Coordinates of all heavy atoms in Angstrom, one line a residue:
M1 N 25.8 -2.8 17.5 CA 26.1 -2.6 16.0 C 25.0 -1.8 15.5 O 23.8 -2.0 15.6 CB 26.2 -4.0 15.3 CG 26.6 -3.8 13.9 SD 26.9 -5.5 13.2 CE 27.3 -5.2 11.6
K2 N 25.3 -0.7 14.9 CA 24.3 0.3 14.4 C 24.3 0.4 12.8 O 23.6 1.1 12.2 CB 24.7 1.6 14.8 CG 24.8 1.8 16.4 CD 23.7 2.5 17.0 CE 24.0 2.7 18.4 NZ 23.0 2.4 19.3
S3 N 25.1 -0.4 12.2 CA 25.1 -0.5 10.7 C 24.8 -1.9 10.2 O 25.5 -2.8 10.8 CB 26.5 0.1 10.3 OG 26.5 0.0 8.9
F4 N 24.0 -2.0 9.2 CA 23.6 -3.3 8.7 C 23.7 -3.4 7.2 O 23.5 -2.3 6.6 CB 22.3 -3.7 9.2 CG 22.1 -3.8 10.7 CD1 21.4 -2.7 11.3 CD2 22.7 -4.7 11.5 CE1 21.3 -2.7 12.7 CE2 22.7 -4.7 12.8 CZ 21.9 -3.8 13.4
K5 N 23.8 -4.5 6.7 CA 23.9 -4.7 5.2 C 22.4 -5.0 4.8 O 21.8 -5.7 5.4 CB 24.9 -5.8 4.8 CG 26.3 -5.4 5.0 CD 27.1 -6.6 4.5 CE 28.5 -6.4 5.0 NZ 29.4 -7.5 4.8
I6 N 22.1 -4.5 3.6 CA 20.8 -4.8 2.9 C 21.2 -5.4 1.6 O 21.9 -4.8 0.7 CB 19.9 -3.7 2.7 CG1 19.6 -3.0 4.0 CG2 18.7 -4.0 2.0 CD1 18.8 -1.8 4.0
F7 N 20.9 -6.7 1.4 CA 21.2 -7.3 0.1 C 19.9 -7.3 -0.7 O 18.8 -7.8 -0.2 CB 21.6 -8.8 0.3 CG 22.9 -8.9 1.1 CD1 22.9 -9.0 2.5 CD2 24.2 -8.8 0.6 CE1 24.0 -9.1 3.3 CE2 25.4 -8.8 1.2 CZ 25.3 -9.0 2.6
L8 N 20.1 -7.0 -2.0 CA 18.9 -7.2 -2.9 C 19.5 -7.6 -4.3 O 20.4 -6.9 -4.7 CB 18.0 -6.1 -2.9 CG 18.3 -4.8 -3.5 CD1 17.0 -4.0 -3.8 CD2 19.1 -4.1 -2.6
K9 N 19.0 -8.6 -4.9 CA 19.6 -9.2 -6.1 C 21.1 -9.2 -6.0 O 21.6 -9.8 -5.2 CB 19.1 -8.3 -7.3 CG 17.7 -8.5 -7.6 CD 17.3 -8.0 -9.0 CE 15.8 -8.4 -9.2 NZ 15.3 -8.1 -10.5
K10 N 21.8 -8.5 -6.9 CA 23.3 -8.6 -6.8 C 23.9 -7.4 -6.2 O 25.1 -7.2 -6.2 CB 23.9 -8.8 -8.3 CG 23.4 -10.1 -8.8 CD 23.9 -10.2 -10.2 CE 23.5 -11.6 -10.7 NZ 23.6 -11.8 -12.2
R11 N 23.1 -6.6 -5.4 CA 23.6 -5.4 -4.8 C 23.6 -5.6 -3.3 O 22.9 -6.3 -2.7 CB 22.8 -4.3 -5.1 CG 22.8 -3.8 -6.6 CD 22.3 -2.6 -6.9 NE 22.9 -1.4 -6.2 CZ 22.5 -0.3 -6.2 NH1 21.5 0.1 -7.0 NH2 23.2 0.7 -5.7
E12 N 24.6 -4.8 -2.8 CA 24.7 -4.7 -1.3 C 24.8 -3.3 -0.9 O 25.6 -2.6 -1.4 CB 26.0 -5.5 -0.9 CG 26.3 -5.6 0.5 CD 27.6 -6.2 0.7 OE1 27.9 -7.4 0.1 OE2 28.5 -5.7 1.5
I13 N 23.8 -2.9 -0.2 CA 23.9 -1.5 0.4 C 23.9 -1.4 1.9 O 23.6 -2.5 2.5 CB 22.7 -0.7 -0.2 CG1 21.3 -1.4 0.2 CG2 22.7 -0.6 -1.7 CD1 20.0 -0.6 -0.3
F14 N 24.1 -0.2 2.5 CA 24.3 -0.2 3.9 C 23.3 0.7 4.5 O 23.0 1.8 4.0 CB 25.7 0.3 4.2 CG 26.7 -0.7 3.8 CD1 27.4 -0.7 2.5 CD2 27.2 -1.7 4.6 CE1 28.2 -1.6 2.1 CE2 28.1 -2.7 4.2 CZ 28.7 -2.6 2.9
F15 N 22.8 0.2 5.6 CA 21.9 1.0 6.4 C 22.7 1.4 7.7 O 23.2 0.6 8.4 CB 20.7 0.2 6.8 CG 19.7 0.9 7.8 CD1 18.7 1.6 7.3 CD2 19.9 1.0 9.1 CE1 17.7 2.4 8.0 CE2 19.1 1.7 10.0 CZ 17.9 2.4 9.4
D16 N 22.7 2.7 7.9 CA 23.4 3.2 9.2 C 22.5 4.0 10.0 O 21.9 5.1 9.4 CB 24.7 4.0 8.7 CG 25.5 4.4 10.0 OD1 25.0 4.6 11.0 OD2 26.8 4.3 9.8
R17 N 22.2 3.7 11.2 CA 21.2 4.4 12.0 C 21.6 5.9 12.2 O 20.8 6.7 12.5 CB 21.0 3.7 13.3 CG 20.2 2.4 13.2 CD 20.2 1.6 14.4 NE 19.4 2.3 15.4 CZ 19.0 1.7 16.5 NH1 19.2 0.4 16.7 NH2 18.1 2.4 17.2
K18 N 22.9 6.2 12.1 CA 23.2 7.6 12.2 C 22.8 8.4 11.0 O 22.5 9.6 11.2 CB 24.8 7.7 12.3 CG 25.4 7.5 13.6 CD 26.8 7.9 13.6 CE 27.7 6.6 13.4 NZ 29.1 6.8 13.4
F19 N 22.6 7.8 9.8 CA 22.3 8.7 8.7 C 21.0 8.3 8.1 O 20.5 9.1 7.2 CB 23.5 8.4 7.6 CG 24.8 8.7 8.1 CD1 25.7 7.7 8.3 CD2 25.1 9.9 8.5 CE1 27.0 8.0 8.8 CE2 26.4 10.3 9.0 CZ 27.3 9.2 9.1
H20 N 20.4 7.2 8.4 CA 19.2 6.7 7.7 C 18.0 6.6 8.7 O 18.1 5.9 9.8 CB 19.4 5.4 7.0 CG 20.6 5.5 6.0 ND1 21.6 4.7 6.1 CD2 20.8 6.3 4.9 CE1 22.5 5.0 5.2 NE2 22.0 5.9 4.4
R21 N 16.8 7.1 8.3 CA 15.7 7.0 9.1 C 15.0 5.6 8.9 O 14.5 5.1 9.9 CB 14.7 8.1 8.8 CG 15.0 9.5 9.2 CD 14.0 10.5 8.7 NE 14.0 10.4 7.2 CZ 13.0 10.8 6.5 NH1 11.9 11.2 7.1 NH2 13.0 10.8 5.2
N22 N 14.9 5.2 7.7 CA 14.2 3.9 7.4 C 14.8 3.2 6.2 O 15.7 3.8 5.5 CB 12.7 4.2 7.2 CG 12.5 5.3 6.2 OD1 13.1 5.2 5.1 ND2 11.6 6.2 6.5
I23 N 14.3 2.1 5.9 CA 14.9 1.3 4.7 C 14.6 2.0 3.4 O 15.4 2.0 2.4 CB 14.4 -0.1 4.8 CG1 14.9 -0.9 5.9 CG2 14.8 -1.0 3.5 CD1 14.3 -2.3 6.2
L24 N 13.4 2.6 3.3 CA 13.0 3.3 2.1 C 14.1 4.4 1.8 O 14.4 4.5 0.6 CB 11.6 3.9 2.3 CG 11.2 4.8 1.1 CD1 11.0 3.9 -0.2 CD2 9.8 5.4 1.5
E25 N 14.5 5.1 2.7 CA 15.5 6.2 2.5 C 16.8 5.6 1.9 O 17.4 6.2 1.0 CB 15.7 6.8 3.8 CG 16.6 8.1 3.7 CD 16.7 8.8 5.0 OE1 15.9 9.6 5.4 OE2 17.7 8.6 5.7
V26 N 17.2 4.5 2.4 CA 18.5 3.8 1.9 C 18.3 3.4 0.4 O 19.2 3.6 -0.4 CB 18.8 2.7 2.7 CG1 20.1 2.0 2.2 CG2 19.1 3.1 4.2
L27 N 17.1 2.8 0.2 CA 16.8 2.4 -1.2 C 16.9 3.6 -2.2 O 17.4 3.6 -3.3 CB 15.5 1.7 -1.3 CG 15.4 0.4 -0.5 CD1 14.0 -0.2 -0.5 CD2 16.4 -0.7 -1.0
Q28 N 16.2 4.7 -1.7 CA 16.2 5.9 -2.6 C 17.5 6.5 -2.8 O 17.9 6.8 -3.8 CB 15.3 6.9 -2.0 CG 13.8 6.5 -2.0 CD 12.9 7.5 -1.3 OE1 13.3 8.0 -0.2 NE2 11.8 7.8 -1.8
N29 N 18.3 6.5 -1.7 CA 19.7 7.0 -1.8 C 20.5 6.2 -2.8 O 21.5 6.8 -3.2 CB 20.3 7.1 -0.4 CG 19.7 8.2 0.5 OD1 18.9 9.0 0.0 ND2 20.1 8.1 1.8
N30 N 20.3 5.0 -2.9 CA 21.1 4.1 -3.8 C 20.4 4.0 -5.2 O 20.7 3.1 -5.9 CB 21.3 2.8 -3.1 CG 22.3 2.9 -2.0 OD1 23.5 2.8 -2.3 ND2 21.9 3.1 -0.8
Q31 N 19.5 4.8 -5.5 CA 18.8 4.8 -6.8 C 18.1 3.5 -7.1 O 18.2 3.1 -8.3 CB 19.7 5.3 -8.0 CG 20.1 6.7 -7.9 CD 21.2 7.0 -6.9 OE1 22.2 6.4 -6.8 NE2 21.0 8.1 -6.2
I32 N 17.5 2.9 -6.1 CA 16.8 1.6 -6.3 C 15.4 2.0 -6.5 O 14.8 2.6 -5.7 CB 17.1 0.6 -5.2 CG1 18.5 0.2 -5.2 CG2 16.2 -0.5 -5.3 CD1 19.0 -0.4 -4.0
P33 N 14.8 1.6 -7.7 CA 13.4 2.0 -7.9 C 12.4 1.4 -7.0 O 12.4 0.1 -7.0 CB 13.2 1.7 -9.4 CG 14.3 0.8 -9.8 CD 15.4 0.9 -8.8
I34 N 11.7 2.1 -6.3 CA 10.7 1.6 -5.4 C 9.6 2.6 -5.3 O 9.9 3.8 -5.2 CB 11.2 1.2 -4.0 CG1 10.1 0.6 -3.2 CG2 12.0 2.4 -3.3 CD1 10.7 -0.1 -1.9
G35 N 8.3 2.2 -5.3 CA 7.2 3.2 -5.2 C 7.0 3.6 -3.7 O 7.5 2.9 -2.8
Y36 N 6.4 4.7 -3.5 CA 6.1 5.2 -2.2 C 5.2 6.4 -2.3 O 5.1 7.0 -3.4 CB 7.4 5.6 -1.3 CG 8.1 6.8 -1.9 CD1 7.8 8.0 -1.3 CD2 9.0 6.8 -2.9 CE1 8.4 9.2 -1.7 CE2 9.6 7.9 -3.4 CZ 9.3 9.1 -2.8 OH 9.8 10.2 -3.3
Q37 N 4.4 6.7 -1.3 CA 3.6 7.8 -1.2 C 3.5 8.4 0.1 O 4.0 9.4 0.4 CB 2.3 7.5 -1.9 CG 1.4 8.7 -2.2 CD 0.2 8.3 -2.9 OE1 -0.5 7.4 -2.7 NE2 -0.2 9.2 -3.8
C38 N 2.8 7.7 1.0 CA 2.4 8.3 2.2 C 3.6 8.4 3.2 O 3.6 9.3 4.0 CB 1.3 7.5 2.9 SG 1.8 5.8 3.4
Q39 N 4.4 7.4 3.2 CA 5.6 7.3 4.2 C 5.1 7.3 5.6 O 5.8 7.6 6.6 CB 6.6 8.4 4.0 CG 7.2 8.4 2.5 CD 8.3 9.3 2.4 OE1 9.3 9.3 3.1 NE2 8.3 10.1 1.3
L40 N 3.9 6.8 5.8 CA 3.3 6.6 7.1 C 2.8 5.1 7.4 O 2.1 4.9 8.4 CB 2.2 7.6 7.3 CG 2.6 9.0 7.3 CD1 1.4 9.9 7.2 CD2 3.4 9.4 8.5
G41 N 3.0 4.2 6.4 CA 2.5 2.9 6.7 C 1.0 2.7 6.2 O 0.5 1.7 6.5
F42 N 0.5 3.6 5.4 CA -0.9 3.5 4.9 C -1.1 2.8 3.6 O -1.8 2.0 3.3 CB -1.5 4.9 4.8 CG -1.9 5.5 6.2 CD1 -1.3 6.7 6.5 CD2 -3.0 5.1 6.9 CE1 -1.5 7.3 7.7 CE2 -3.2 5.7 8.1 CZ -2.5 6.8 8.5
C43 N -0.3 3.3 2.6 CA -0.6 3.0 1.2 C -0.1 1.7 0.8 O -0.6 1.1 -0.2 CB -0.1 4.2 0.3 SG 1.7 4.2 0.2
G44 N 1.0 1.2 1.3 CA 1.6 -0.1 0.9 C 2.5 0.0 -0.3 O 2.9 -1.1 -0.7
L45 N 2.6 1.1 -0.9 CA 3.4 1.1 -2.1 C 4.9 0.9 -1.9 O 5.6 0.5 -2.8 CB 3.3 2.6 -2.7 CG 1.9 2.9 -3.4 CD1 1.9 4.3 -3.9 CD2 1.6 1.9 -4.5
C46 N 5.4 1.0 -0.7 CA 6.8 0.8 -0.5 C 7.2 -0.6 0.0 O 8.3 -0.8 0.5 CB 7.3 1.8 0.6 SG 6.6 1.5 2.2
K47 N 6.3 -1.5 -0.1 CA 6.5 -2.8 0.4 C 7.5 -3.6 -0.5 O 7.6 -3.5 -1.6 CB 5.2 -3.7 0.5 CG 4.6 -4.1 -0.9 CD 3.2 -4.8 -0.6 CE 2.6 -5.0 -2.0 NZ 1.3 -5.4 -1.9
V48 N 8.2 -4.5 0.2 CA 9.2 -5.4 -0.3 C 9.0 -6.7 0.4 O 8.4 -6.8 1.5 CB 10.7 -4.9 -0.2 CG1 10.9 -3.5 -0.8 CG2 11.1 -4.8 1.3
Y49 N 9.6 -7.8 -0.2 CA 9.7 -9.1 0.4 C 10.8 -9.1 1.3 O 12.0 -8.9 0.9 CB 9.8 -10.2 -0.5 CG 8.5 -10.4 -1.4 CD1 8.5 -10.2 -2.7 CD2 7.3 -10.8 -0.8 CE1 7.3 -10.3 -3.5 CE2 6.1 -10.9 -1.5 CZ 6.2 -10.7 -2.9 OH 5.1 -10.8 -3.7
L50 N 10.7 -9.5 2.6 CA 11.8 -9.8 3.4 C 12.2 -11.3 3.4 O 11.4 -12.2 3.8 CB 11.5 -9.4 4.9 CG 12.5 -9.7 5.9 CD1 13.8 -8.8 5.7 CD2 12.0 -9.4 7.3
K51 N 13.3 -11.5 2.7 CA 13.7 -13.0 2.4 C 14.5 -13.5 3.6 O 14.5 -14.8 3.7 CB 14.4 -13.1 1.2 CG 13.5 -12.6 -0.1 CD 14.2 -12.7 -1.4 CE 14.1 -14.1 -1.9 NZ 14.8 -14.3 -3.2
K52 N 15.2 -12.7 4.2 CA 16.1 -13.1 5.4 C 16.4 -12.0 6.4 O 16.5 -10.8 5.9 CB 17.4 -13.7 4.7 CG 18.2 -14.5 5.7 CD 19.3 -15.2 4.9 CE 20.2 -16.0 5.9 NZ 21.2 -16.6 5.2
G53 N 16.5 -12.2 7.6 CA 16.8 -11.3 8.5 C 15.6 -10.7 9.2 O 14.5 -11.2 9.0
D54 N 15.9 -9.7 10.0 CA 14.8 -9.1 10.9 C 14.7 -7.6 10.7 O 15.8 -7.0 10.6 CB 15.0 -9.5 12.3 CG 15.1 -11.0 12.5 OD1 14.1 -11.7 12.3 OD2 16.1 -11.5 12.8
I55 N 13.6 -7.0 10.9 CA 13.3 -5.6 11.0 C 12.6 -5.2 12.2 O 12.0 -6.1 12.8 CB 12.6 -5.1 9.6 CG1 11.3 -5.8 9.4 CG2 13.5 -5.3 8.4 CD1 10.1 -5.0 9.9
S56 N 12.6 -3.9 12.5 CA 11.9 -3.4 13.5 C 11.0 -2.3 13.1 O 11.5 -1.3 12.4 CB 12.8 -2.9 14.7 OG 12.2 -2.2 15.7
Y57 N 9.7 -2.3 13.3 CA 8.8 -1.2 12.9 C 8.8 -0.1 14.0 O 8.8 -0.4 15.2 CB 7.4 -1.8 12.8 CG 7.1 -2.5 11.4 CD1 6.8 -3.8 11.4 CD2 7.1 -1.7 10.3 CE1 6.5 -4.4 10.2 CE2 6.8 -2.3 9.1 CZ 6.6 -3.6 9.1 OH 6.3 -4.3 7.8
F58 N 8.6 1.1 13.5 CA 8.5 2.3 14.5 C 7.1 2.2 15.0 O 6.9 2.6 16.2 CB 8.7 3.5 13.8 CG 10.0 3.6 12.9 CD1 10.1 4.0 11.6 CD2 11.2 3.1 13.5 CE1 11.2 4.1 10.9 CE2 12.4 3.1 12.8 CZ 12.4 3.5 11.5
Y59 N 6.2 1.8 14.3 CA 4.8 1.5 14.8 C 4.1 0.5 13.8 O 4.6 0.2 12.7 CB 4.0 2.9 14.8 CG 4.1 3.7 13.7 CD1 3.2 3.6 12.5 CD2 5.0 4.8 13.6 CE1 3.3 4.4 11.4 CE2 5.1 5.6 12.5 CZ 4.3 5.5 11.4 OH 4.4 6.2 10.3
R60 N 2.9 0.1 14.2 CA 2.3 -1.0 13.4 C 1.8 -0.5 12.1 O 1.2 0.5 12.0 CB 1.0 -1.4 14.2 CG 0.2 -2.4 13.6 CD -0.9 -2.9 14.5 NE -0.5 -4.3 14.8 CZ -1.2 -5.1 15.6 NH1 -2.3 -4.7 16.1 NH2 -0.8 -6.3 15.7
P61 N 2.1 -1.3 11.0 CA 1.6 -1.0 9.7 C 0.1 -0.9 9.6 O -0.6 -1.8 10.2 CB 2.3 -2.1 8.8 CG 3.3 -2.8 9.7 CD 2.9 -2.5 11.0
I62 N -0.4 -0.1 8.7 CA -1.9 0.0 8.6 C -2.2 -0.7 7.3 O -3.2 -1.3 7.1 CB -2.3 1.4 8.6 CG1 -2.1 2.0 9.9 CG2 -3.8 1.5 8.2 CD1 -2.1 3.5 10.1
A63 N -1.4 -0.6 6.2 CA -1.6 -1.3 4.9 C -1.7 -2.8 5.2 O -0.9 -3.3 6.1 CB -0.5 -0.9 4.0
L64 N -2.4 -3.5 4.3 CA -2.6 -4.9 4.4 C -1.4 -5.6 3.8 O -0.9 -5.1 2.6 CB -3.8 -5.4 3.6 CG -5.1 -5.0 4.3 CD1 -6.3 -5.5 3.4 CD2 -5.3 -5.5 5.7
L65 N -0.7 -6.5 4.4 CA 0.5 -7.2 4.0 C 0.4 -8.6 4.0 O -0.3 -9.2 4.9 CB 1.7 -6.8 4.9 CG 2.0 -5.3 5.0 CD1 3.0 -5.0 6.1 CD2 2.6 -4.8 3.6
K66 N 1.0 -9.3 3.0 CA 1.0 -10.8 3.0 C 2.2 -11.2 3.8 O 3.1 -10.3 4.2 CB 1.1 -11.2 1.5 CG -0.1 -11.0 0.7 CD 0.1 -11.5 -0.7 CE -1.1 -11.1 -1.5 NZ -0.7 -11.1 -3.0
S67 N 2.3 -12.4 4.1 CA 3.5 -13.0 4.8 C 4.7 -12.6 4.1 O 4.8 -12.7 2.9 CB 3.4 -14.5 4.8 OG 4.4 -15.0 5.5
K68 N 5.7 -12.2 4.9 CA 7.1 -11.8 4.5 C 7.1 -10.4 3.8 O 8.2 -10.0 3.3 CB 7.7 -12.8 3.5 CG 7.8 -14.2 4.2 CD 9.0 -14.2 5.1 CE 9.2 -15.6 5.7 NZ 10.2 -15.6 6.7
E69 N 6.0 -9.7 3.6 CA 6.0 -8.4 3.1 C 6.2 -7.4 4.3 O 5.7 -7.5 5.3 CB 4.7 -8.0 2.3 CG 4.6 -8.8 1.1 CD 3.2 -8.4 0.4 OE1 2.3 -7.8 1.0 OE2 3.1 -8.8 -0.8
I70 N 7.1 -6.4 4.0 CA 7.3 -5.4 5.0 C 7.2 -3.9 4.3 O 7.3 -3.8 3.1 CB 8.7 -5.4 5.6 CG1 9.8 -5.3 4.5 CG2 8.9 -6.8 6.3 CD1 11.3 -5.1 5.1
L71 N 6.8 -2.9 5.1 CA 6.8 -1.7 4.6 C 8.0 -0.9 4.9 O 8.4 -0.6 6.1 CB 5.6 -0.9 5.2 CG 4.2 -1.4 5.0 CD1 3.2 -0.7 5.7 CD2 4.0 -1.4 3.4
T72 N 8.8 -0.6 3.9 CA 10.1 0.1 4.1 C 10.1 1.5 4.7 O 11.1 2.0 5.2 CB 10.9 0.1 2.8 OG1 10.2 0.8 1.8 CG2 11.2 -1.3 2.3
C73 N 9.1 2.1 4.6 CA 9.0 3.6 5.1 C 8.9 3.6 6.6 O 9.2 4.7 7.2 CB 7.9 4.3 4.4 SG 6.2 3.9 5.0
I74 N 8.5 2.6 7.3 CA 8.3 2.6 8.7 C 9.1 1.6 9.5 O 8.7 1.2 10.6 CB 6.8 2.6 9.1 CG1 6.2 1.3 8.6 CG2 6.2 3.8 8.7 CD1 4.8 1.0 9.2
C75 N 10.2 1.2 8.9 CA 11.0 0.1 9.7 C 12.5 0.3 9.4 O 12.9 1.0 8.4 CB 10.6 -1.3 9.3 SG 11.0 -1.8 7.6
R76 N 13.3 -0.4 10.1 CA 14.7 -0.4 9.9 C 15.2 -1.8 10.2 O 14.6 -2.5 11.0 CB 15.4 0.6 10.8 CG 15.3 0.4 12.3 CD 16.0 1.4 13.0 NE 15.8 1.3 14.4 CZ 15.6 2.3 15.3 NH1 15.6 3.5 14.8 NH2 15.3 2.1 16.5
P77 N 16.4 -2.2 9.7 CA 16.8 -3.5 10.0 C 17.4 -3.7 11.4 O 18.0 -2.6 11.8 CB 17.9 -3.8 8.9 CG 18.4 -2.4 8.5 CD 17.2 -1.4 8.7
V78 N 17.3 -4.8 12.0 CA 18.1 -5.0 13.2 C 19.2 -6.0 13.1 O 19.8 -6.3 14.0 CB 17.1 -5.5 14.3 CG1 16.0 -4.4 14.6 CG2 16.3 -6.8 13.9
N79 N 19.4 -6.5 11.9 CA 20.5 -7.3 11.5 C 20.6 -7.2 10.0 O 19.9 -6.5 9.4 CB 20.5 -8.7 12.1 CG 19.2 -9.4 11.8 OD1 18.5 -9.1 10.8 ND2 18.7 -10.2 12.6
N80 N 21.6 -7.9 9.4 CA 21.7 -7.9 7.9 C 20.4 -8.6 7.4 O 20.0 -9.6 7.9 CB 22.9 -8.7 7.5 CG 24.2 -8.0 7.9 OD1 24.3 -6.8 8.2 ND2 25.3 -8.8 8.0
I81 N 19.9 -8.0 6.3 CA 18.7 -8.5 5.7 C 18.9 -8.7 4.2 O 19.7 -8.1 3.5 CB 17.5 -7.6 6.0 CG1 17.7 -6.2 5.3 CG2 17.2 -7.4 7.5 CD1 16.4 -5.3 5.4
V82 N 18.0 -9.7 3.7 CA 17.9 -9.8 2.2 C 16.5 -9.5 1.9 O 15.5 -10.0 2.5 CB 18.2 -11.3 1.9 CG1 18.0 -11.5 0.4 CG2 19.5 -11.7 2.3
I83 N 16.4 -8.6 0.9 CA 15.0 -8.2 0.5 C 14.9 -8.3 -1.1 O 15.8 -8.5 -1.8 CB 14.6 -6.8 0.9 CG1 15.6 -5.8 0.2 CG2 14.6 -6.6 2.3 CD1 15.2 -4.4 0.4
E84 N 13.6 -8.3 -1.5 CA 13.3 -8.4 -3.0 C 12.2 -7.3 -3.1 O 11.2 -7.4 -2.5 CB 12.9 -9.7 -3.3 CG 12.6 -9.9 -4.8 CD 12.2 -11.4 -5.1 OE1 12.8 -12.3 -4.6 OE2 11.2 -11.5 -5.9
I85 N 12.4 -6.5 -4.2 CA 11.4 -5.6 -4.5 C 10.1 -6.3 -5.0 O 10.3 -7.2 -5.9 CB 11.8 -4.5 -5.6 CG1 13.2 -3.9 -5.1 CG2 10.7 -3.6 -5.9 CD1 13.0 -3.0 -3.9
C86 N 8.9 -5.9 -4.5 CA 7.7 -6.6 -4.9 C 7.3 -6.3 -6.4 O 7.5 -5.2 -6.8 CB 6.6 -6.3 -4.0 SG 6.7 -6.9 -2.3
Ligands
FES1 S1 5.0 4.9 1.4 FE1 3.0 4.3 2.0 S2 3.2 2.7 3.3 FE2 5.2 3.2 2.9

């Protein structure tokens, strides 16, 4: 399965590996306001809370993260996920 749902608040958006590089890109394409800058895992501005589900990082995040925080610029879902903007 290459397409997954991303739930946040009352919205449901779709991540498709054919069209999206990372979760940040899907959030931006759906006009969901989220900060970002480096898009390399340094700055931490694109972090969200992962409330349910699993993601896969392309490489190890450099920004400091608390438990359940993920960097959307360097990961993609591996199943349906529930997130909350920090
Ligand atoms: S945009 Fe900087 S860590 Fe994601």
